[in-house]
Amino acid sequence: NAGVTQTPKFQVLKTGQSMTLQCAQDMNHNSMYWYRQDPGMGLRLIYYSASEGTTDKGEVPNGYNVSRLNKREFSLRLESAAPSQTSVYFCASRVTQDQPQHFGDGTRLSIL
Amino acid sequence: EDQVTQSPEALRLQEGESSSLNCSYTVSGLRGLFWYRQDPGKGPEFLFTLYSAGEEKEKERLKATLTKKESFLHITAPKPEDSATYLCAVTQGGSEKLVFGKGMKLTVNP
C-alpha cells in the first residue's frame, strides 16, 4: 500500500553540488509529476511525464532535469544547486487527465 | 492565464463552528476541480473531484460544491482533527497540468 515513495526525505546541499531526487509509484499510473512548494507560492509544476518515454516542462523548469526511467520511476536532478532551489519537492502520479493526482510525502531540500 | 484563487488565506474556528472555504477559478474548458488536504510535513491528500457545475460530493464533515466560476468546501461542525491546509486545483481539458491555488490554513480550536 505504498503509493508514491520519495527518497530522500531530507537533504542539505552546498551551492554548486548536484543531486537526484527519486520517485517511484506502485499504482500503475501513466503520468508522473514533479512540483516544488514554497511559502506563499503554492505548488508549482517543474516537469511532468504524461507517459513512459516522454517528458515536458512545467511552470518552473530552469535549473532542473528529469528522467522517466520506466513506468514506475521518475527522477528529478539538480545539476548545480542554488540557494533559490531550497524548497519542498513533491512527486505525484495519476492514471488519466480527469483523475486526481496522488502525492508522495516530499523531499525537504536546503541549499546553503 | 489560468488562475485559481482561494479565500480566506487562513481561518480559525471553534470546534463545532461551521464555515465554508472558497475556490474561484478562471479556466476555459474545465476538466476537473480537485480538493486536497495537506497536514504539516506531509504531501497533499486527495479529498474530492468535481467535474461539472451543480455537482456535490460529501465525506464525513466535508461537502464540496461546484459552480461555473467557483467551488466551496463546506465544513460542518468541525473538530480539531480537521485542522490542516486545504488546497484547490483545476485541470483544463486536453492539458496534463494541474493548477493549484495557494491554499487555506484551517485551525479548529477545541
Side-chain angles (χ1 to χ4, degrees), chain B residues 17-32:
Chain B
E17 180 186 2
S18 301
S19 188
S20 296
L21 317 180
N22 176 261
C23 171
S24 62
Y25 62 92
T26 55
V27 61
S28 57
L30 180 73
R31 184 75 177 258

Side-chain angles (χ1 to χ4, degrees), chain A residues 11-32:
Chain A
Q11 185 71 46
V12 178
L13 293 178
K14 295 181 180 179
T15 298
Q17 288 185 317
S18 63
M19 81 160 295
T20 300
L21 280 61
Q22 306 286 352
C23 174
Q25 52 93 6
D26 62 2
M27 297 173 284
N28 201 34
H29 285 174
N30 294 313
S31 303
M32 297 186 73

Side-chain angles (χ1 to χ4, degrees), chain B residues 53-90:
Chain B
E55 190 174 0
E56 298 182 351
K57 295 270 180 77
E58 284 190 71
K59 180 180 180 180
E60 296 181 355
R61 295 175 293 282
L62 300 177
K63 179 180 178 180
T65 62
L66 180 65
T67 72
K68 288 186 177 180
K69 293 184 178 181
E70 58 192 351
S71 177
F72 292 93
L73 186 64
H74 308 277
I75 303 177
T76 302
K79 297 182 177 182
E81 52 262 43
D82 294 321
S83 297
T85 296
Y86 290 86
L87 304 173
C88 171
V90 299

Side-chain angles (χ1 to χ4, degrees), chain A residues 25 27-32 51-53 68-74:
Chain A
Q25 52 93 6
M27 297 173 284
N28 201 34
H29 285 174
N30 294 313
S31 303
M32 297 186 73
S51 61
E52 188 178 352
R68 182 75 181 266
L69 303 171
N70 47 54
K71 191 171 186 179
R72 290 187 64 248
E73 299 172 288
F74 189 37

Side-chain angles (χ1 to χ4, degrees), chain A residues 31 33 35 37 40 43 45 48 50 57 90 94 97-101 103-105 108, chain B residues 31 34 36 38 41-44 46 49 51 87 91 94-98 100-102:
Chain A
S31 303
Y33 308 82
Y35 293 88
Q37 187 175 42
L43 280 157
L45 183 64
Y48 66 96
K57 295 178 180 180
F90 288 101
R94 68 176 172 182
Q97 287 178 3
D98 56 355
Q99 295 298 311
Q101 293 183 12
F103 287 79
D105 279 338
R108 283 142 189 85
Chain B
R31 184 75 177 258
F34 304 87
Y36 288 85
Q38 186 175 22
K42 296 290 187 179
F46 170 69
T49 306
Y51 293 107
L87 304 173
T91 189
S95 173
E96 277 289 335
K97 300 176 184 178
L98 199 57
F100 279 86
K102 294 182 179 180

